[in-house]
Amino acid sequence: MKFMQLVWFHFKRICQNIGLISMSFIMPLFMVGGLMFITTSDTNANLSEEFVILNHSEFVEENVYPRLSENLQANFASDSKEAFDQLEQSELAMIYEIPANFPEEGSRIKSHSINGENNDIFFESEFTSVLSEVMTENALSEAGVDFEEIQVAEPSINQSYTPIDGNLVIVVFMTIFFMSYASSLVSADLNKLRSDGVLTRSIVTNARSWQILGSVLAAFSLYNFISAMLVILLICLIFGITITQLPVIIAAILAFCIFNAGFTMVLFRLFKNDQVILMVGIVLSIVFVFLGIGIIDIPSFSFIQYISPFYWLFESLDTGAILPNIPVIALYGLVLFTAGSFKVERLVKV
């Protein structure tokens, strides 16, 4: 009961700290929201870059066109003048022009674009595949070779894991990054309690060491979890992102709450200046991120990425597996927590 009262006391104190809320909730909300706005805007811009296909070949009209997907068939146009006018007015990204003698030797499909070299890999891939099938069938037919088609049942694959949407991965990753960033704020707050003598006075009370520091860390962990979930839910609601694999996301946030508690204790024990704590905490958080995304592309040192909790976060979001990735993150936090010491008496000497 004593511990819960202390947790509630510190949680209310945190919620009254406008500066901390601004840095750990409002700023992440705007930063992640801004990133998603840019991402979705770029995606919509790419989708709006249309192209048309001007076909002058009877061979393509009779043999290739019927086999193309409906999406590509919709890109075929007959009015060349209108198409080039739209290209000049930037209403089209590019024009594919198929000559009348295609696919005779020496004939080539021309690509027109006002923005330099451009291409649509989906069209080129499907068109090439269908053209190859048609040419192969014609060659076999001229040679008098015939194959008997046998229908077989298509195998069914039951996929138990629903992949997490790419935008959701970005939202979760950025939110958790700001959680780690906030660890330095927590350490600075603990350091202020130490400097103001609050921790020193708490020693003479009937509260134990684990209750004194544990209540502070538990309150911040509770706050971090609630704020992170609110940021994710609000961003997904605003941008219409479907939340999948919610247990994995919740487990990852809880694991990082443990990691951040250990990270906080290490910073609190090593440094006694608020500005130094903030600077070192932010720098180390960025380093962990760079290590986790595999920025070090040296085979001999690739193992370094395993020490970053963000590597295991990416693995969990990619595979949808809680084990062993999430426990590894929590274990890192427990190791750091042990290294940071838990005895108040060892930490209040200023």
Side-chain angles (χ1 to χ4, degrees):
M1 183 61 67
K2 178 73 173 180
F3 177 75
M4 297 304 297
Q5 291 175 347
L6 290 173
V7 172
W8 179 242
F9 166 77
H10 287 294
F11 183 78
K12 290 189 297 183
R13 184 175 60 85
I14 293 170
C15 294
Q16 295 172 357
N17 190 331
I18 303 300
L20 178 62
I21 293 177
S22 299
M23 296 293 291
S24 59
F25 176 72
I26 298 178
M27 187 181 74
L29 186 63
F30 278 96
M31 293 291 289
V32 178
L35 178 62
M36 292 310 303
F37 177 78
I38 295 173
T39 302
T40 53
S41 297
D42 290 342
T43 301
N44 292 335
N46 291 333
L47 290 175
S48 64
E49 292 182 351
E50 298 180 354
F51 67 94
V52 299
I53 306 164
L54 297 176
N55 177 45
H56 307 293
S57 171
E58 293 184 3
F59 177 85
V60 173
E61 181 71 24
E62 296 175 357
N63 299 280
V64 179
Y65 176 83
R67 300 192 182 190
L68 295 175
S69 63
E70 293 183 359
N71 291 334
L72 288 184
Q73 289 181 356
N75 288 94
F76 277 73
S78 57
D79 193 334
S80 301
K81 184 180 183 304
E82 181 183 357
F84 281 102
D85 287 343
Q86 290 178 334
L87 181 65
E88 291 180 359
Q89 297 173 9
S90 298
E91 295 178 3
L92 291 176
M94 61 183 304
I95 296 175
Y96 283 105
E97 189 173 13
I98 305 175
N101 61 341
F102 187 86
E104 296 178 4
E105 185 177 353
S107 63
R108 298 179 59 184
I109 299 177
K110 298 179 181 179
S111 173
H112 305 274
S113 173
I114 61 174
N115 297 321
E117 294 185 2
N118 205 344
N119 68 315
D120 187 281
I121 58 175
F122 298 105
F123 162 70
E124 294 181 7
S125 175
E126 183 174 341
F127 185 86
T128 303
S129 176
V130 173
L131 178 63
S132 177
E133 292 178 1
V134 171
M135 298 295 289
T136 301
E137 291 176 1
N138 290 346
L140 293 175
S141 178
E142 292 178 0
V145 179
D146 189 19
F147 292 94
E148 181 181 359
E149 295 185 359
I150 301 177
Q151 297 291 335
V152 296
E154 295 184 0
S156 59
I157 301 176
N158 295 325
Q159 188 174 3
S160 58
Y161 168 59
T162 302
I164 298 180
D165 181 81
N167 289 332
L168 180 59
V169 172
I170 296 175
V171 172
V172 173
F173 163 72
M174 291 298 297
T175 302
I176 290 180
F177 166 72
F178 280 110
M179 282 178 57
S180 299
Y181 168 85
S183 297
S184 57
L185 300 175
V186 180
S187 300
D189 183 77
L190 277 173
N191 187 63
K192 186 176 185 302
L193 294 178
R194 174 170 55 187
S195 302
D196 293 343
V198 175
L199 293 182
T200 303
R201 291 193 299 271
S202 67
I203 297 176
V204 298
T205 65
N206 59 353
R208 299 179 180 179
S209 292
W210 70 270
Q211 292 176 329
I212 297 170
L213 286 180
S215 61
V216 179
L217 297 176
F220 273 105
S221 297
L222 177 62
Y223 169 78
N224 276 337
F225 177 79
I226 294 175
S227 62
M229 290 301 300
L230 283 176
V231 170
I232 293 174
L233 291 175
L234 288 174
I235 295 298
C236 291
L237 180 64
I238 293 172
F239 293 95
I241 302 174
T242 302
I243 299 179
T244 57
Q245 298 298 324
L246 185 59
V248 176
I249 296 174
I250 293 177
I253 294 176
L254 290 174
F256 265 90
C257 286
I258 299 175
F259 173 82
N260 291 337
F263 188 40
T264 297
M265 286 299 299
V266 171
L267 294 176
F268 175 55
R269 182 177 185 182
L270 294 179
F271 307 102
K272 297 183 179 181
N273 183 281
D274 291 354
Q275 299 301 321
V276 173
I277 290 176
L278 289 172
M279 181 183 66
V280 174
I282 293 173
V283 170
L284 288 179
S285 297
I286 295 174
V287 170
F288 281 139
V289 171
F290 283 155
L291 291 178
I293 62 179
I295 197 171
I296 299 179
D297 194 19
I298 304 176
S300 302
F301 295 93
S302 60
F303 67 92
I304 295 179
Q305 64 183 336
Y306 298 136
I307 69 175
S308 170
F310 288 97
Y311 168 81
W312 301 100
L313 172 64
F314 281 126
E315 284 291 309
S316 184
L317 295 178
D318 183 51
T319 61
I322 294 179
L323 299 174
N325 307 313
I326 301 302
V328 169
I329 299 173
L331 182 61
Y332 280 174
L334 294 176
V335 171
L336 292 176
F337 188 83
T338 303
S341 180
F342 195 66
K343 291 288 185 179
V344 179
E345 294 83 353
R346 300 176 185 174
L347 301 174
V348 297
K349 297 177 182 179
V350 291

